[in-house]
Amino acid sequence: MDEEQALEALSNVISSLSETPFDLSLHAQHIQLAAATGLDDQVHAARETFATYYACTDDVWLPLIEAKKNLEDINSVEGVLSVLQIYNRAENDYFSIPLLRQHLDFLIDRYAHFSSSNLAPVLPEDPFSKEWTRDALRAVVAQGVGHITRGHSLWETLCEWEIDNLSKVLSDERSIAVVEVEEMYLERLQQCHSANEETFQSYSTFTTNYKAPQAYETLLVNASKLRGKARKAYEWREPYEAALEKSGHSLYAYQNYVAYELRAKQPDLDILSNIHERAIAEAAKRREAGETGAEEALRLWWASYVDSMRRNNSPQEQQLSLFQRSIRSVPASGEQWAKYIRFLEVNNNLVEEGEGEPISVLYDKAFATKLFQKDVEGMVPLFLARAGFERRIFLAGFEPAVAHPFLEPQDRLSTLLDILNSGIKAIRSAAKGGDSRFRLERFLFTLYIELEQSGEATKVWADTAKYHKTAYIPWLEYTNALEYDCKMSPLSIPLDWPEMLWEAWLAFEHSHGSAREIQDALDVVERARVQVEARRAKEAENVSYQAMQVSTEQKATQIPVTGLTEVVQSAEAPMDIDEETKSGVKRKAEQAPPEESKKARVGMDRENCTVFVGDLPPGTTENDLTKLFKDCGVIREVKITQLPNTLVATVEFNTRDSVPAALTKDKKRVHDHEINTHLAWESTLYVTNFPEGADDVSIRKLFGQYGHIFDVRWPSKKFKNTRRFCYVQYTSPTAARLALELHGRELEPGFSLKVYISNPERRKERTDADANAREVYVAGLSKFVTKEDLEKLFRVYGPVKEVRMTLDANNHSKGFAFIEFEEEKDAVKALGANNYELKKRRIAVTLSDTRVRSQRRESESGLGRKADARSRSLRIRGLPDNTQEGLLQQTVEKLAPVHRLEVFSNKHEAVVEFQSAADAARLLLLPEPFEFNGAQLLFSEGESVSTKPRDMSVAAVSSSKTPSEDDTPARGKAQNDFRKMLLGGE
């Protein structure tokens, strides 16, 4: 970008900022574009604009302070005081040791200047007198001494200044000055910090120089006793400080540190305050750098900070200052504004004294930021806080100062109703589904009940039910508020939980209806129940089918391969292709599934049977955890894992009934160290729709910024070769929740990342096991076709789950797309759109099931498909333990395109079928091994993994009939062929 372009872009950003001055991204662009112009005045103006609307870090303030020093005459008292105002503004935003350090040096330098000039102050209260300077220095040092590893540098500077002045004090005033310095030493010795030993040695020197020799030993003994508690306090916190340094001051390390301080029964408020300040400052720096998750961390820590100070009864003025700073830092946090409003309501004397703003003014200021138009979770707390305040004023019947302006009761009620009704309207405009918890509607309903306006109260839920047609809660509340009218029955609407409505209706009829009305209601409910159960049975059938495939896939990588028969029965089950029986025909649909599949379905519940244990002390053993959890239920497995910065474990029980008791072990102690316990799935994310080029390294890098990653699990590609999802498991649920911020981020054009907590109850929404059968491929698209066009066209055939369309650099279609339906039958019906004219182009629509096409493909060599497959296949031996099939395929695909890959866990081997025989031949001749999970691996030809002779193995497949074969699920001949090829069969 040349200078002219930069100036034009800068002008556009400035114009946008005038309309939305609280848009953080615009401020970042403003500073970047100003820097691109190379004009210092533009950069300075951009920083000043940013500091006007947002709290800024020292990266912004230090250049502004330097510019202020150059602008002012710092040889005059007025000029220095003007610079000091900027220091105070900067320090009020975020904690910064470099900023405090510079402030301290500036004060000392200016004190020395004025002391040696004809401008030397006369009175103690005059700026830069010794007394005034001492107070100013101590105020700066007090802000930083809570930093237990770096705050000592500030204190040492103050101490050197005091001792330097002590040597200049007249003899008759020295004794008082010595006492003041000694008190400063003794106070510091009782504070927790890393340089306690250095302070003690300095105090020893001070005592030698300024105290009587005979008192030396007594003073040192007393000082040693005083510092004992502080030294112990630092020892407790030293591991957390070390973790901060090791992690590069990561947000996750700060989260652990803050959590540790909050758990204390009697917290050290100075340290608790400072660790919050440090965490907030680090998150702010990362937000300014554009790091994802930093904004959420800022909100979390400001809320934690103000709440902890309130619970520990810190002074009103300190709490007020925190709220004022927090809304300057995170003005987009509706919850923080709401907390501020409630704080002023409770402490209304601050408004009376003019220190706090009236609540109506604060409320208007929040919405004036224009940050909440599309943020339901930001708006709701604000509306509730203001409405709650207005309600309490109205019911109390008096007007405190905080309620400015003063209103008559009827006007106050009108204001309250306007807030609630406009709030409900704004929330529904912000999001299609509105507020799923109906918080404002509940508030308004309760208010009308308190006002004895039952008709208006009923109308609240009537309007809500009309708007949220399929949600059961409004209908349930409506039935509780209204004498139920059968003609208004919503039983024909597919509610998300109709049983609640049925029970409410029947309870009402039993209480108020006649015998006939009760019988009529029972009949209507029974008819509705039959319809709902039929619909659910159909859904359950589909869920069961999908879940069986997913669970079988998971089991496939765990089942030992002891021979050919075992491989045929289990290893390839997830591919779900029909398999031939002895007679050579496909298994009939009515045949029962095998016992193995039943076991696989049982294994599905492992997510609900496992708890994750974090913050384990070093040296923890399986016996320690078995002892801790033994009273919860039968333990299936305890697995301890040492991560780089922490020790964690998973404890799996035989049944999910043991888990509630296991969760009560949270905050218990192992070896006198507090541990954390949570459900394993609560810290696990289901991640999908990332670009095809994404691999394990890129996913770990992207998600690692939110916390320690315990594991990343990749799926086998047996369902379809284009599967793009994985599971990212953290060591804490907090990190997983922070990482949800990535949901919706577009990593590449057309690939909007999807990130969900991996709740086992929502497995149906996550699985893509049968995605190919539900998906059609659309080709021949005009470049002007959009996703909306395709969704509109194909939804006539059935509910569309997803439209995937790759775009070019101009955001135009590249000519093809994939449409995934909720139901397989709808994908078949969608074939009717073939040859449909869309935006003057005829489109081609086919099923995207690659497995069906591959079965019909003719042999490339003329020797048969099995021979072709063998020519494209190689073996990999010596795999590491617990090799993930999907992860190994990622590594191999970097060498050549892969058609199919299978791992044989008990043999530590894998067989890879490449897409071309030429690639297989080339890789077989590789002179150097490739690396996978620390192991050096080579491709080779080789014998079957079966331990049986080849002819016996083949016979086991083709001519023997075992009980398990009769019960084998439907699988395809192509799958059998692939297995035989892998095992050396003919």
Side-chain angles (χ1 to χ4, degrees), residues 244-259:
L244 278 177
E245 290 294 331
K246 188 173 183 179
S247 66
H249 296 85
S250 72
L251 301 185
Y252 178 68
Y254 272 113
Q255 178 62 22
N256 287 338
Y257 202 162
V258 170

PDB file of all heavy atoms in Angstrom, residues 244-259:
ATOM      1  N   LEU A 244       3.974 -19.400  34.999  1.00  0.00           N
ATOM      2  CA  LEU A 244       3.776 -18.209  34.171  1.00  0.00           C
ATOM      3  C   LEU A 244       4.980 -17.954  33.270  1.00  0.00           C
ATOM      4  O   LEU A 244       4.849 -17.725  32.067  1.00  0.00           O
ATOM      5  CB  LEU A 244       3.538 -16.983  35.056  1.00  0.00           C
ATOM      6  CG  LEU A 244       2.128 -16.749  35.593  1.00  0.00           C
ATOM      7  CD1 LEU A 244       2.110 -15.537  36.514  1.00  0.00           C
ATOM      8  CD2 LEU A 244       1.142 -16.546  34.460  1.00  0.00           C
ATOM      9  N   GLU A 245       6.168 -18.003  33.855  1.00  0.00           N
ATOM     10  CA  GLU A 245       7.377 -17.756  33.080  1.00  0.00           C
ATOM     11  C   GLU A 245       7.565 -18.810  31.998  1.00  0.00           C
ATOM     12  O   GLU A 245       7.903 -18.511  30.860  1.00  0.00           O
ATOM     13  CB  GLU A 245       8.599 -17.739  34.016  1.00  0.00           C
ATOM     14  CG  GLU A 245       8.663 -16.539  34.940  1.00  0.00           C
ATOM     15  CD  GLU A 245       8.876 -15.235  34.195  1.00  0.00           C
ATOM     16  OE1 GLU A 245       9.501 -15.261  33.122  1.00  0.00           O
ATOM     17  OE2 GLU A 245       8.415 -14.188  34.681  1.00  0.00           O
ATOM     18  N   LYS A 246       7.331 -20.057  32.372  1.00  0.00           N
ATOM     19  CA  LYS A 246       7.554 -21.166  31.435  1.00  0.00           C
ATOM     20  C   LYS A 246       6.588 -21.107  30.255  1.00  0.00           C
ATOM     21  O   LYS A 246       6.945 -21.451  29.124  1.00  0.00           O
ATOM     22  CB  LYS A 246       7.430 -22.502  32.172  1.00  0.00           C
ATOM     23  CG  LYS A 246       7.832 -23.704  31.341  1.00  0.00           C
ATOM     24  CD  LYS A 246       7.850 -24.962  32.190  1.00  0.00           C
ATOM     25  CE  LYS A 246       8.327 -26.163  31.368  1.00  0.00           C
ATOM     26  NZ  LYS A 246       8.367 -27.402  32.196  1.00  0.00           N
ATOM     27  N   SER A 247       5.358 -20.664  30.527  1.00  0.00           N
ATOM     28  CA  SER A 247       4.336 -20.639  29.472  1.00  0.00           C
ATOM     29  C   SER A 247       4.345 -19.339  28.684  1.00  0.00           C
ATOM     30  O   SER A 247       3.513 -19.151  27.793  1.00  0.00           O
ATOM     31  CB  SER A 247       2.946 -20.828  30.089  1.00  0.00           C
ATOM     32  OG  SER A 247       2.614 -19.721  30.914  1.00  0.00           O
ATOM     33  N   GLY A 248       5.295 -18.446  28.992  1.00  0.00           N
ATOM     34  CA  GLY A 248       5.290 -17.153  28.315  1.00  0.00           C
ATOM     35  C   GLY A 248       4.125 -16.289  28.749  1.00  0.00           C
ATOM     36  O   GLY A 248       3.575 -15.512  27.972  1.00  0.00           O
ATOM     37  N   HIS A 249       3.743 -16.423  30.032  1.00  0.00           N
ATOM     38  CA  HIS A 249       2.625 -15.666  30.610  1.00  0.00           C
ATOM     39  C   HIS A 249       1.334 -15.912  29.825  1.00  0.00           C
ATOM     40  O   HIS A 249       0.622 -14.984  29.434  1.00  0.00           O
ATOM     41  CB  HIS A 249       2.946 -14.173  30.688  1.00  0.00           C
ATOM     42  CG  HIS A 249       4.082 -13.848  31.605  1.00  0.00           C
ATOM     43  ND1 HIS A 249       5.404 -13.903  31.210  1.00  0.00           N
ATOM     44  CD2 HIS A 249       4.104 -13.502  32.910  1.00  0.00           C
ATOM     45  CE1 HIS A 249       6.182 -13.593  32.229  1.00  0.00           C
ATOM     46  NE2 HIS A 249       5.423 -13.351  33.278  1.00  0.00           N
ATOM     47  N   SER A 250       1.037 -17.187  29.629  1.00  0.00           N
ATOM     48  CA  SER A 250      -0.178 -17.556  28.896  1.00  0.00           C
ATOM     49  C   SER A 250      -1.415 -17.249  29.738  1.00  0.00           C
ATOM     50  O   SER A 250      -1.368 -17.210  30.971  1.00  0.00           O
ATOM     51  CB  SER A 250      -0.149 -19.042  28.543  1.00  0.00           C
ATOM     52  OG  SER A 250      -0.339 -19.829  29.696  1.00  0.00           O
ATOM     53  N   LEU A 251      -2.525 -17.059  29.056  1.00  0.00           N
ATOM     54  CA  LEU A 251      -3.783 -16.784  29.751  1.00  0.00           C
ATOM     55  C   LEU A 251      -4.199 -17.977  30.591  1.00  0.00           C
ATOM     56  O   LEU A 251      -4.803 -17.822  31.663  1.00  0.00           O
ATOM     57  CB  LEU A 251      -4.876 -16.442  28.737  1.00  0.00           C
ATOM     58  CG  LEU A 251      -4.601 -15.228  27.841  1.00  0.00           C
ATOM     59  CD1 LEU A 251      -5.810 -14.930  26.966  1.00  0.00           C
ATOM     60  CD2 LEU A 251      -4.233 -14.007  28.665  1.00  0.00           C
ATOM     61  N   TYR A 252      -3.882 -19.169  30.123  1.00  0.00           N
ATOM     62  CA  TYR A 252      -4.237 -20.370  30.877  1.00  0.00           C
ATOM     63  C   TYR A 252      -3.465 -20.433  32.203  1.00  0.00           C
ATOM     64  O   TYR A 252      -4.033 -20.765  33.242  1.00  0.00           O
ATOM     65  CB  TYR A 252      -3.930 -21.612  30.036  1.00  0.00           C
ATOM     66  CG  TYR A 252      -4.221 -22.913  30.745  1.00  0.00           C
ATOM     67  CD1 TYR A 252      -5.527 -23.282  31.039  1.00  0.00           C
ATOM     68  CD2 TYR A 252      -3.191 -23.775  31.103  1.00  0.00           C
ATOM     69  CE1 TYR A 252      -5.799 -24.466  31.684  1.00  0.00           C
ATOM     70  CE2 TYR A 252      -3.462 -24.964  31.747  1.00  0.00           C
ATOM     71  CZ  TYR A 252      -4.765 -25.312  32.032  1.00  0.00           C
ATOM     72  OH  TYR A 252      -5.047 -26.498  32.677  1.00  0.00           O
ATOM     73  N   ALA A 253      -2.186 -20.076  32.168  1.00  0.00           N
ATOM     74  CA  ALA A 253      -1.392 -20.072  33.403  1.00  0.00           C
ATOM     75  C   ALA A 253      -1.928 -19.027  34.375  1.00  0.00           C
ATOM     76  O   ALA A 253      -1.976 -19.264  35.597  1.00  0.00           O
ATOM     77  CB  ALA A 253       0.078 -19.809  33.082  1.00  0.00           C
ATOM     78  N   TYR A 254      -2.321 -17.884  33.860  1.00  0.00           N
ATOM     79  CA  TYR A 254      -2.921 -16.871  34.726  1.00  0.00           C
ATOM     80  C   TYR A 254      -4.235 -17.372  35.323  1.00  0.00           C
ATOM     81  O   TYR A 254      -4.550 -17.102  36.486  1.00  0.00           O
ATOM     82  CB  TYR A 254      -3.172 -15.578  33.949  1.00  0.00           C
ATOM     83  CG  TYR A 254      -1.994 -14.631  33.954  1.00  0.00           C
ATOM     84  CD1 TYR A 254      -1.291 -14.337  32.794  1.00  0.00           C
ATOM     85  CD2 TYR A 254      -1.579 -14.021  35.137  1.00  0.00           C
ATOM     86  CE1 TYR A 254      -0.205 -13.465  32.798  1.00  0.00           C
ATOM     87  CE2 TYR A 254      -0.492 -13.153  35.150  1.00  0.00           C
ATOM     88  CZ  TYR A 254       0.188 -12.887  33.985  1.00  0.00           C
ATOM     89  OH  TYR A 254       1.260 -12.029  34.013  1.00  0.00           O
ATOM     90  N   GLN A 255      -5.024 -18.090  34.515  1.00  0.00           N
ATOM     91  CA  GLN A 255      -6.295 -18.606  35.021  1.00  0.00           C
ATOM     92  C   GLN A 255      -6.067 -19.546  36.198  1.00  0.00           C
ATOM     93  O   GLN A 255      -6.781 -19.492  37.203  1.00  0.00           O
ATOM     94  CB  GLN A 255      -7.045 -19.342  33.899  1.00  0.00           C
ATOM     95  CG  GLN A 255      -8.365 -19.973  34.311  1.00  0.00           C
ATOM     96  CD  GLN A 255      -9.383 -18.966  34.780  1.00  0.00           C
ATOM     97  OE1 GLN A 255      -9.295 -17.789  34.433  1.00  0.00           O
ATOM     98  NE2 GLN A 255     -10.335 -19.389  35.566  1.00  0.00           N
ATOM     99  N   ASN A 256      -5.060 -20.396  36.099  1.00  0.00           N
ATOM    100  CA  ASN A 256      -4.746 -21.298  37.215  1.00  0.00           C
ATOM    101  C   ASN A 256      -4.309 -20.521  38.454  1.00  0.00           C
ATOM    102  O   ASN A 256      -4.676 -20.861  39.588  1.00  0.00           O
ATOM    103  CB  ASN A 256      -3.633 -22.271  36.801  1.00  0.00           C
ATOM    104  CG  ASN A 256      -4.127 -23.322  35.835  1.00  0.00           C
ATOM    105  OD1 ASN A 256      -5.323 -23.593  35.762  1.00  0.00           O
ATOM    106  ND2 ASN A 256      -3.229 -23.908  35.078  1.00  0.00           N
ATOM    107  N   TYR A 257      -3.514 -19.488  38.238  1.00  0.00           N
ATOM    108  CA  TYR A 257      -2.999 -18.668  39.347  1.00  0.00           C
ATOM    109  C   TYR A 257      -4.157 -17.946  40.048  1.00  0.00           C
ATOM    110  O   TYR A 257      -4.276 -17.945  41.285  1.00  0.00           O
ATOM    111  CB  TYR A 257      -1.984 -17.662  38.797  1.00  0.00           C
ATOM    112  CG  TYR A 257      -1.000 -17.120  39.805  1.00  0.00           C
ATOM    113  CD1 TYR A 257       0.174 -16.499  39.371  1.00  0.00           C
ATOM    114  CD2 TYR A 257      -1.216 -17.198  41.184  1.00  0.00           C
ATOM    115  CE1 TYR A 257       1.105 -15.978  40.268  1.00  0.00           C
ATOM    116  CE2 TYR A 257      -0.296 -16.690  42.092  1.00  0.00           C
ATOM    117  CZ  TYR A 257       0.857 -16.087  41.629  1.00  0.00           C
ATOM    118  OH  TYR A 257       1.768 -15.578  42.528  1.00  0.00           O
ATOM    119  N   VAL A 258      -5.023 -17.320  39.259  1.00  0.00           N
ATOM    120  CA  VAL A 258      -6.173 -16.615  39.822  1.00  0.00           C
ATOM    121  C   VAL A 258      -7.061 -17.582  40.607  1.00  0.00           C
ATOM    122  O   VAL A 258      -7.522 -17.274  41.717  1.00  0.00           O
ATOM    123  CB  VAL A 258      -6.987 -15.921  38.702  1.00  0.00           C
ATOM    124  CG1 VAL A 258      -8.314 -15.397  39.241  1.00  0.00           C
ATOM    125  CG2 VAL A 258      -6.188 -14.780  38.088  1.00  0.00           C
ATOM    126  N   ALA A 259      -7.293 -18.764  40.037  1.00  0.00           N
ATOM    127  CA  ALA A 259      -8.129 -19.757  40.715  1.00  0.00           C
ATOM    128  C   ALA A 259      -7.523 -20.166  42.057  1.00  0.00           C
ATOM    129  O   ALA A 259      -8.235 -20.363  43.049  1.00  0.00           O
ATOM    130  CB  ALA A 259      -8.315 -20.986  39.822  1.00  0.00           C
TER     131      ALA A 259
END
